[in-house]
Amino acid sequence: MQRIGVFVCHCGTNIAATVDVKTVAEALGHEPGVVISQDYQYMCSESGQNLVKNAIKEHNLTGVVVCSCSPRMHENTFRKAAAAAGLNSYMVEIANIREQCSWIHKDIATATEKAIILGKAAVAKVHLNAPLTAGESPVAKRALVIGGGIAGIQTALDIAEAGFDVDIVEKNPTIGGKMAQIDKTFPTLDCAACILTPKMVEASQNEHITIHSFSEVTDVKGFVGNFTVTIKKKARFVDETKCTGCGLCTEKCPMKKVPNEFNMGLDNRSAIYIPFAQAVPKVATIDPNYCMMMKTGKCGVCSKVCSAGAIDYKQQDKFIEQKYGAIVVATGFNPINLDKYDEFAYNQCPDVVTSLELERLMNAAGPNGGTLLRPSDKTHPHKIVFVQCVGSRCDDSKGKPYCSKICCMYTAKHAMLIREKYPDTEVYVFYIDVRTPGKNFDEFYRRAVEQYNVHYIKGMVGKVTPRSDGKIDVQASDLLANEQLHIDADMVVLAAAIEPDKTARPLATMLTTQMDTNDFFTEAHPKLRPVESATAGIFLSGACQGPKDIPETVAQASAAAAKAIGLLVKNSITCNPCVAHSNELMCNGCSSCEKVCPYGAITYIDKEFRMPDRTTAVRRVANVNPAVCQGCGACTVACPSGAMDLNGFSNSQIMAEVDAICK
Amino acid sequence: MQEAMINRAKQLLADGSVDRVIGWKRGEFVYDITPAVFTSAEELDADFVYDDFTAANVSKYLVKESKKEGKILAFLKPCDTYSFNQLIKEHRIVRENIYVIGIPGGPKLDAERIKANGITGILGAKNDNGTLIIDTVYGEEKMPYYEALSVKCLNCKSKKHVVYDELIGEDGDILDSNRFDMVEKLENMTAQERYDFWREQLSKCIRCNACRNVCPACTCEKCVFDNPDSGVENKAATDSFEENMFHIIRAFHVAGRCTDCGECSRVCPQNIPLHLLNRKFIKDINSLYGDYQAGEDTTSRAPLNDYKQDDCEASIVHERGVE
Amino acid sequence: MLKISLDKLGKLFEAISASQTLYIPTDREDGAAEYKKYESGMKLSNNLNTLRSAKDFFFPQTENLVDFKMEGKNIEVIDVREESEDFVIFGVRACDARSFTILDKVFLADPVDSYYKNRRDHGTVVTMACTRPAETCFCGTFGIDAAAPEGDAACYSDGESLFIEAHNEKGQKFIDSVASLLEEGDAAKLDEVREKTRDILKKLPLANLTTDNFGGDKLNEYFNSDKWGELSQSCLGCGTCTFVCPTCQCYDIKDFNTGHGIKRFRCWDSCMYSDFTKMAHGNPRLTQLERFRQRFMHKLVYFPANNNGEFGCVGCGRCLSKCPISMNIVKVMKALEVK
Amino acid sequence: MNKNLQEQVLRSSGVNVLKCMRCGKCSGTCPSYDEMEYHPHQFVYMVERGDIETLMNSKSIYKCLTCFACVDRCPRNVEPAKVVEAVRLAAVRQQGNNHMNPNQIPEMLDEDLPQQAIVTAFRKYIK
Amino acid sequence: MQVNDNKEFQPLIVAFCCNWCSYAGADLSGTNRLNYPTNVKIIRVPCSCRVNPMFILRAFQRGADGVILCGCHPGDCHYTSGNYFTRRRMTLLFSMLDFLGIERDRTRVEWVSAAEGAKFAATMNEFTEAVRKLGPNRRLEDLRCRKQ
């Protein structure tokens, strides 16, 4: 039997004006188990707390009920007071007789009656409370950043800055991501490479940062503070430690007809390659699908010319396992595949390009050395049509339902740059809406219209038809002029929707994080926890969480880093003790609970049990990881046998409250 | 059929493919058939039976049997295969230890339905073109075959075996069963009528737990209703509330997991149409969350362990049907 | 012997129910018979027997023994026992009538169960001879004559009239109370009816089942029989057999907290249940085999050992038709007998 | 605005006009654009506003080829052609409002008339 | 059941509120002094998905006349998906209670955010009135628990 103390607060007149606190204290004093019942002016004041503390000591209380304001207000106050007096802080329950009683009722008699009932419910609950101890779990002082684009780089730099080791896993041979492919950035029009490459170098030189390029995460185990991650270092057939990045091999390689993915396939590279001049790490990689040596066994030129002896045709994939305290996902985005949009003739006409292709076409390091030429005949285009919202804002069956967010601004940028560099070129932009929220964004767009005379036309392009004379017929309606237009363009640029990288979905499964239907990672709370995933210890950085431009990405990357640092500075994390636990004797191992757990906190173990018939048998039972469980209780209802219960809100406690209220 | 099953079972026992066979054993009367495990050809020859009265679903026995040493051969009717699959999905049986032979299913007869026709002293029964000819102590009696069918076979949902290692006889199809007709009829009654209907039915309950103990979805190590710590344990239907509570919660616990095998209604000594409760859940799940047949596969997410962001709100219950 | 024409049965029931509560077996919508409190117009069932046994009248499935009222920290004990009124159970079959004798041995032995005795004292059992026994009947095995049932009074039908005869004072009192409706009749034809019934009984499939092999002296032999494993392997552990059984008399006592007091109930228990006779130390019978064995050892061995050879079964056949997996006492007796 | 007519058009077309985001791709792709007084995107918008009678009185409803290019191209699956068809149906249903008589068609046939126009004409002018 | 002066039937309403949204919403209606009847008694649960159907039946058994479950709006669950499970569970449970002839107005699910104090009060007023109209819960009560 518990020895319970009841403390009824007047809260000045806040409670006492409509609830007869003396009567409440008197009535609750008669409840079984209650050994002392007192009222006081301000229970949360220091003297009020002392009253509680003294009573705990004097009456050897095992449970405390405070009838006061909402537990959201002062539960912690009284828990601390109890702890200070030597009582487990989870032996305290609050009866909310202010917000949910005195403040909403006027009649003293009924309000007092209700307050007594609420108090009785709290007493009934305390009877079944058990002391809970918050567990602790150590934190591995190392972070993993998955993805080496600007988001990943920024996050890694910030974490390293705080003094923690951080690994970047990048699936491509170099870090840099999409930003490395971009020519200029809006709205300042400064050169992307000029601001990105120093960061790449900084990352490679930072003593706290390890870059695993050409690598993938293949397995994630564990939980917040204690992840064990397996990273596959894909064979690049070049010894990273020996290669000096001199590039001689790439020059001498006889196989030069490999589509260059860095330039969006607009030109070719050799079978052994360094993606671009500023690549980090600046190490060559052999593409086994094209390398003559790998395919036919005849060649070996690179091996011969490499003075460092870095070439290793027999290299195998390597797996490394590492412990991390925090994981930041920065897997980024890709433009969508435009195969199904026949009307834009993307697959039929080389002069219909995506915006990212245009970036390469205009880039000084691109296929044309920075001169804008039509891919088909390398002539200078005089009329360029931009089409917005290609695949964005569509019905699910037609494309992506969301706005890709960055297209309006980069299209304005492109239009402006073209008009700046080639004033003889007419530029048309067909838009549905121009969306420019952002600092200096609308000013930027207005400049394109007012200063650079870019023709913005409201209306979606209906049809793009390559003509035999090399021109491209663009048919669209001008909704404001109410006429249908035909433009004989030289080039068409499609603002393709962006989508999360394809590697994100399997990664989310490994991380047990949530994704939305578009495969963007879901944040723990859309407003209040935008850079955390719902799974503790997993943070989100950049476009993997939703379409973002560079400043936003960098801001989120730093925010994610800050959150990760906040976790890594702790030696251990205190777990919420109000977590689920499974009674193994009753667990059926049916996996229902696991299916509804949003955190992946439940795993199954095969355990040997002594069975009722005196034999032993191995049974599959659920096991809750208290460090991961957040205590929602979804599993407790999914469990038909009642094996799963929740500390602090157990089945019996809630039913005791129900009983007390309905008494 | 019985012959073919015995022969195949003997073969599999002889070549060591299986160590045991779970099937059915002949009883005192034509109808009282008991599920049983056989270990030898002699036992099979002596007692193995598969006929019109062999209605029991043996899949639940595999929870225990499959954890024993050696391999067991299980003969499963189409409806039983759904239960079997569901048990695999919930990790309750060890698939590797079971060799499943799919056998043709019902419709099966129920002696209780014959007796309800006033026929007593039953010594034998055979089907003669839709008429059941019953040999009794008091002479020969006749009744329409259909009227003697077990309640679980009246609305057969499927003749298809969803899992098997081999088949004896041919596989059938999923049927258009009209199995929700009675549920719908009840839904169209007034609340008072529904209440009266269920009060009359559930008040017959004697809390023997036969429905629960036979149910292949009720395989809990310890049922909440048997567990004093659960707070809802109750042994006897002292008050009508406890009958309601038991049957509502039991149906809820198997919602999305119940394959509609009908065993609950088959075994109820008081003839309570318990399957209607399960069918109500199945019907609701189908109409609100998309067609779902428990046990059809071993991987899909059970409807109650799943959600869609645009699921209907609970208020749909208030908005539809008869008040 | 006194008789009443069968077409006047309604009048008889009206007359009985005018002075005391009358229960008769009547058919419900699913064709099964059950005892119901007589109300005007209710028809006597033609079924051989009721689905549930008649033991409920003396040993109900649940019974409120006592209440406790809690006021703050005070507990008050309230005796909720009602002084029963007299009642008549009409149409009890020979097997069920014998079951009362068996229950009496349990509940009326010292210490007397006053709840049971109270009901027993107030109840008059009017039996009805069987004429159409079923294939599941084996009352003869236990020395019961279905054609000549026990009870306070017994009824026999010759197809036209119902003959009533008293077996004791209580029965005579019952007959006297309705004497105005009865007339003296020639019972000669009854012997013919009885003989016919007995002929049928002899032809029933279970007619040759005997208890010769059972009894208290076989305890160890049967307890250690290796048949139990096979017999119990398919048992579901439900309580159907025990709950339809007229002689099963195990009960549990449960307290129910109503929120403002405690109600103490006695309710039927079943030895088939996993928590049967669970005690502070745990459960004495951990496996279904042990629980299954308990039920049949009790009926066939322990009970006769303690009750001068009287078996704990009356051969009513309810468990034969109601067991979900068709395992029953007959199969057990036959399996053990072979040994 | 005519609520009844609007409802009829919405029902018979089965189109949710509120899904339209006014991108104009339907009109951008429409081969009959220049022939039409009101263009596909305007049909959708005017039906949303309930301005059905104007559309019914416009020759535009007979200029639509029912080629379904707009349906195919619409990013949001609004299906403008079905709206046009529904307005046309509303007009046809009003007795005496037939645009032309079936027996007028043969004399209008010439070599340049696309096959599809004849096929769709049967859908438009029968009854 | 409570009795007040005008002898009008006073239903007992049990409200399960999730800690993060609805309980805070209830607090807010208190902070804003928005009245609702004393008939409503709130039980705090971490998430609406913690509410077991057994709790709801338990409340009816013990004498509640109406049970309402409040949680975060779909999509806003503190635990991301809890209320989605709640929604399915309660839809099916309520449908079953309705199937058994229990008055459907005795049960309700309402999504109340931490900012919707007014909605909380309005919901409770409305629900209490709806249950009051139905009268005492007789179809799903336990006679043993009825007060004499």
Side-chain angles (χ1 to χ4, degrees), chain B residues 65-130:
Chain B
E65 288 296 332
S66 74
K67 283 170 192 150
K68 292 182 181 163
E69 205 128 305
K71 203 158 175 172
I72 187 163
L73 162 63
F75 287 109
L76 299 182
K77 305 190 295 292
C79 45
D80 305 345
T81 61
Y82 287 82
S83 311
F84 182 85
N85 247 359
Q86 185 65 24
L87 286 164
I88 291 175
K89 186 176 185 173
E90 296 175 7
H91 309 276
R92 300 298 284 153
I93 52 183
V94 184
R95 178 67 177 95
E96 305 82 78
N97 290 346
I98 308 164
Y99 189 79
V100 176
I101 296 184
I103 49 169
K108 300 292 180 185
L109 299 171
D110 185 348
E112 291 295 303
R113 301 252 297 171
I114 300 174
K115 292 178 187 172
N117 260 22
I119 297 169
T120 184
I122 302 164
L123 299 172
K126 62 172 189 284
N127 180 9
D128 181 27
N129 274 332

Side-chain angles (χ1 to χ4, degrees), chain A residues 514 517 585-592 595-596 611 618-620 637-642 651-652 655, chain B residues 67 89-92 219-224 227 229-232 252-253 257 299 301 304-307 309:
Chain A
Q514 314 266 316
T517 49
L585 291 174
M586 290 195 293
C587 174
N588 307 323
C590 72
S591 282
S592 270
K595 297 275 178 348
V596 300
M611 301 301 282
V618 174
R619 278 178 39 222
R620 177 188 148 93
V637 185
C639 178
S641 69
N651 287 328
S652 55
M655 283 196 273
Chain B
K67 283 170 192 150
K89 186 176 185 173
E90 296 175 7
H91 309 276
R92 300 298 284 153
T219 63
C220 282
E221 296 291 324
K222 192 155 191 71
C223 176
V224 285
N227 179 5
D229 297 330
S230 72
V232 293
F252 188 82
H253 280 178
R257 304 167 55 229
T299 50
R301 257 177 121 92
L304 273 169
N305 293 340
D306 199 7
Y307 64 87
Q309 293 181 344

Side-chain angles (χ1 to χ4, degrees), chain C residues 104-119:
Chain C
D104 287 351
K105 287 184 194 295
V106 177
F107 292 111
L108 299 184
D110 195 46
V112 173
D113 184 303
S114 54
Y115 294 89
Y116 178 86
K117 184 172 187 299
N118 189 28
R119 289 201 160 85

Side-chain angles (χ1 to χ4, degrees), chain B residues 256-276:
Chain B
R257 304 167 55 229
C258 166
T259 64
D260 198 7
C261 75
E263 286 283 274
C264 45
S265 289
R266 180 180 72 83
V267 303
C268 178
Q270 291 280 44
N271 309 326
I272 305 172
L274 293 165
H275 63 284
L276 293 178

Side-chain angles (χ1 to χ4, degrees), chain A residues 89-414:
Chain A
S89 48
Y90 292 89
M91 298 306 292
V92 176
E93 289 295 332
I94 310 290
N96 185 344
I97 60 165
R98 191 179 75 176
E99 282 86 343
Q100 295 178 8
C101 189
S102 70
W103 276 354
I104 41 170
H105 306 311
K106 287 183 182 131
D107 178 52
I108 295 182
T110 52
T112 306
E113 191 188 337
K114 177 173 170 179
I116 293 170
I117 290 170
L118 294 179
K120 283 182 176 173
V123 170
K125 189 180 180 195
V126 161
H127 266 291
L128 298 164
N129 278 22
L132 299 175
T133 315
E136 298 217 324
S137 136
V139 177
K141 303 268 177 189
R142 195 182 186 92
L144 171 67
V145 175
I146 304 171
I150 180 61
I153 294 169
Q154 185 63 46
T155 303
L157 285 172
D158 287 349
I159 295 174
E161 179 76 11
F164 295 104
D165 289 337
V166 51
D167 296 355
I168 298 176
V169 172
E170 167 57 53
K171 68 176 188 300
N172 291 320
T174 173
I175 59 169
K178 291 286 170 304
M179 189 171 169
Q181 292 175 278
I182 294 171
D183 186 31
K184 299 270 192 318
T185 58
F186 61 79
T188 47
L189 292 181
D190 45 357
C191 149
C194 311
I195 51 179
L196 175 68
T197 49
K199 281 202 182 286
M200 291 163 65
V201 173
E202 204 186 326
S204 73
Q205 289 173 351
N206 191 306
E207 53 173 347
H208 289 299
I209 298 178
T210 309
I211 297 170
H212 297 294
S213 62
F214 212 51
S215 300
E216 282 166 16
V217 170
T218 55
D219 189 37
V220 180
K221 286 201 181 74
F223 49 91
V224 55
N226 194 14
F227 295 105
T228 305
V229 179
T230 310
I231 298 163
K232 177 166 91 174
K233 290 189 77 102
K234 295 179 280 189
R236 68 202 306 168
F237 309 106
V238 172
D239 189 331
E240 266 183 75
T241 55
K242 292 181 185 160
C243 177
T244 59
C246 70
L248 194 58
C249 53
T250 65
E251 277 168 38
K252 299 291 179 195
C253 177
M255 180 62 215
K256 292 216 157 36
K257 287 269 163 62
V258 187
N260 184 356
E261 38 301 76
F262 184 72
N263 279 339
M264 304 306 290
L266 292 165
D267 66 353
N268 291 327
R269 60 162 168 83
S270 48
I272 185 165
Y273 68 106
I274 296 172
F276 57 98
Q278 298 86 359
V280 170
K282 198 165 181 195
V283 175
T285 305
I286 295 179
D287 188 336
N289 295 324
Y290 292 94
C291 173
M292 315 279 277
M293 187 65 187
M294 311 279 285
K295 286 176 74 176
T296 64
K298 286 179 196 143
C299 182
V301 172
C302 51
S303 175
K304 281 169 212 150
V305 301
C306 180
S307 54
I311 309 294
D312 175 7
Y313 298 115
K314 298 231 156 59
Q315 203 179 60
Q316 298 284 316
D317 292 349
K318 242 185 6 199
F319 290 87
I320 51 174
E321 207 178 87
Q322 182 64 260
K323 276 203 174 291
Y324 298 100
I327 297 176
V328 182
V329 184
T331 46
F333 71 95
N334 279 308
I336 60 165
N337 183 311
L338 294 178
D339 285 353
K340 68 175 178 182
Y341 301 94
D342 287 341
E343 64 268 35
F344 298 121
Y346 175 72
N347 282 338
Q348 299 149 35
C349 177
D351 297 329
V352 179
V353 299
T354 65
S355 299
L356 194 54
E357 287 164 6
L358 184 74
E359 292 281 355
R360 297 315 301 156
L361 287 172
M362 291 170 66
N363 191 294
N368 303 329
T371 315
L372 179 59
L373 299 173
R374 292 186 357 142
S376 60
D377 54 8
K378 306 284 178 199
T379 57
H380 173 57
H382 292 277
K383 213 178 253 183
I384 301 181
V385 168
F386 285 88
V387 185
Q388 299 273 268
C389 298
V390 175
S392 296
R393 309 172 67 192
C394 288
D395 220 51
D396 283 330
S397 60
K398 295 280 177 79
K400 303 293 176 187
Y402 49 86
C403 165
S404 295
K405 195 172 185 179
I406 54 175
C407 327
C408 286
M409 284 303 289
Y410 70 59
T411 297
K413 173 189 79 179
H414 290 153

Side-chain angles (χ1 to χ4, degrees), chain B residues 25-45:
Chain B
K25 197 172 179 171
R26 205 176 298 285
E28 290 296 320
F29 314 115
V30 62
Y31 56 80
D32 71 330
I33 289 158
T34 307
V37 175
F38 303 83
T39 52
S40 69
E42 295 70 46
E43 287 173 12
L44 285 165
D45 279 330

Side-chain angles (χ1 to χ4, degrees), chain D residues 1-3 5-7 9-10 13 15-22 40-52 55 78 83 87:
Chain D
M1 96 172 248
N2 187 327
K3 268 267 172 212
L5 267 175
Q6 183 191 32
E7 221 163 84
V9 167
L10 290 176
S13 67
V15 167
N16 178 3
V17 288
L18 296 176
K19 281 173 77 178
C20 175
M21 61 169 172
R22 327 238 185 276
H41 74 277
Q42 287 170 299
F43 267 82
V44 175
Y45 184 54
M46 287 164 79
V47 168
E48 186 187 327
R49 285 196 322 176
D51 194 1
I52 314 288
L55 289 174
V78 177
V83 175
V87 176

